[in-house]
Amino acid sequence: MLFIHVDECPANWEYVLEGIRKMSHSIDTSGDREDDDIHPPKERRFVVLASTILSSQTKEDITRGATRRLRQNGLLTADALNNADEETIRKLIYPVGFYIRKASNLKKMAHICLTKYGGDIPNTIEELLSLPGVGPKIAHLVMIIGWNNVQGICVDTHVHRICNRLGWVSRSGTTQRTSIPEETRKALQQWLPREEWVAINPLLVGFGRTICTALRPRCGECGVSKFCPSAFKETSSSSYFRSNKS
DNA sequence: TTCCAGACTA
DNA sequence: TAGTCCGGAA
């Protein structure tokens, strides 16, 4: 049994999480998993991986629509994507951000899944990371959703930004903010109880989209601003991260 | 016009 | 570590 050293927990973190939960209770961040009951596990996992590659934390409607169009055209399987014309994939997923690159990555990823994993997806972080277009954020999310296996916290731009604003993470041995999401993930995992590792992502994503936004956060509407060292300190543009780089 | 999202490259 | 890829929101 591995026990995590938790003597560095930020003050009031439980109140903050509870406060964010209360603010977010009406926000649905469950995403587009409408095929859960339709596909057998292998196919379902592939859909999870493909739709996660397509996804964007800021344009959920657009990425959901793109996933739907792929499905309607029968292109949400490893075999179909592998055989599909890349131009066709582009047209179906447009206007998802980086659609040209994602179309290429989807096709390459499908080929690897087909030839190396029998149409399934890899079941380790390391192997997922070896797929084109799969970085730490997607790998951890796919492990959780696709394999029900929590290897780490899924840290996207919202989790990264909010944890730094709250002072929940810092560079090892310093009080400086973390510079990249991977650094945030490791710092957060140092103290956040494991039972919160899955819930923290959708919770902070919803909070980050609506209240603790990247640009001009709505601190006046935030129920936990009294616990936030960054509250009301970001008045213009997104100079926060740049001005804190020193 | 600036900024965002996540992975990748130079 | 900065720049690149994208369309769209602010």
Side-chain angles (χ1 to χ4, degrees):
Chain A
M1 172 70 85
L2 174 67
F3 288 95
I4 297 168
H5 199 50
V6 289
D7 62 342
E8 302 279 346
C9 285
N12 301 312
W13 71 270
E14 286 160 304
Y15 293 107
V16 173
L17 267 193
E18 186 52 37
I20 294 173
R21 276 197 186 97
K22 284 176 182 164
M23 286 183 275
S24 307
H25 76 278
S26 61
I27 300 167
D28 176 18
T29 55
S30 59
D32 179 26
R33 308 297 171 200
E34 60 195 49
D35 51 308
D36 274 5
D37 300 328
I38 302 171
H39 298 277
K42 187 168 82 171
E43 284 72 16
R44 186 182 70 80
R45 282 192 290 272
F46 185 83
V47 172
V48 166
L49 176 56
S51 61
T52 305
I53 287 175
L54 275 180
S55 74
S56 157
Q57 298 289 16
T58 55
K59 301 176 183 175
E60 191 176 17
D61 291 346
I62 289 174
T63 53
R64 198 177 288 200
T67 305
R68 192 170 297 123
R69 283 194 293 278
L70 282 179
R71 180 184 292 114
Q72 286 166 347
N73 284 270
L75 291 184
L76 218 42
T77 69
D79 193 49
L81 267 180
N82 178 50
N83 290 314
D85 174 47
E86 203 169 303
E87 185 63 32
T88 302
I89 304 173
R90 284 185 192 177
K91 285 176 180 167
L92 289 172
I93 68 174
Y94 181 88
V96 158
F98 317 133
Y99 71 99
I100 295 172
R101 183 171 295 175
K102 283 183 178 177
S104 169
N105 285 339
L106 280 175
K107 193 170 162 65
K108 288 178 189 164
M109 175 277 286
H111 181 75
I112 295 171
C113 287
L114 210 55
T115 56
K116 201 172 171 186
Y117 301 97
D120 207 335
I121 66 171
N123 64 358
T124 66
I125 292 290
E126 290 70 27
E127 287 175 296
L128 282 167
L129 288 173
S130 73
L131 299 174
V134 176
K137 180 251 174 178
I138 291 175
H140 283 284
L141 192 57
V142 166
M143 282 301 286
I144 292 168
I145 298 173
W147 292 104
N148 197 26
N149 182 348
V150 185
Q151 290 291 303
I153 299 169
C154 173
V155 174
D156 57 35
T157 185
H158 296 290
V159 177
H160 176 59
R161 178 181 69 251
I162 294 167
C163 285
N164 275 287
R165 280 179 177 163
L166 286 167
W168 279 5
V169 292
S170 59
R171 311 193 83 157
S172 182
T174 75
T175 55
Q176 290 179 306
R177 56 170 242 96
T178 57
S179 57
I180 57 172
E182 259 302 88
E183 202 178 358
T184 299
R185 181 180 66 81
K186 289 168 184 165
L188 196 55
Q189 288 177 187
Q190 290 291 308
W191 63 266
L192 187 70
R194 212 178 171 97
E195 55 267 30
E196 300 284 357
W197 285 16
V198 173
I200 189 100
N201 176 276
L203 189 63
L204 295 192
V205 167
F207 180 53
R209 280 177 179 161
T210 53
I211 294 174
C212 198
T213 49
L215 291 177
R216 290 175 288 280
R218 299 174 174 86
C219 301
E221 300 170 29
C222 177
V224 297
S225 61
K226 64 180 175 183
F227 296 119
C228 178
S230 308
F232 302 101
K233 289 181 180 171
E234 296 175 40
T235 52
S236 66
S237 153
S238 67
S239 55
Y240 168 71
F241 285 126
R242 263 179 257 120
S243 65
N244 279 275
K245 274 189 173 175
S246 60

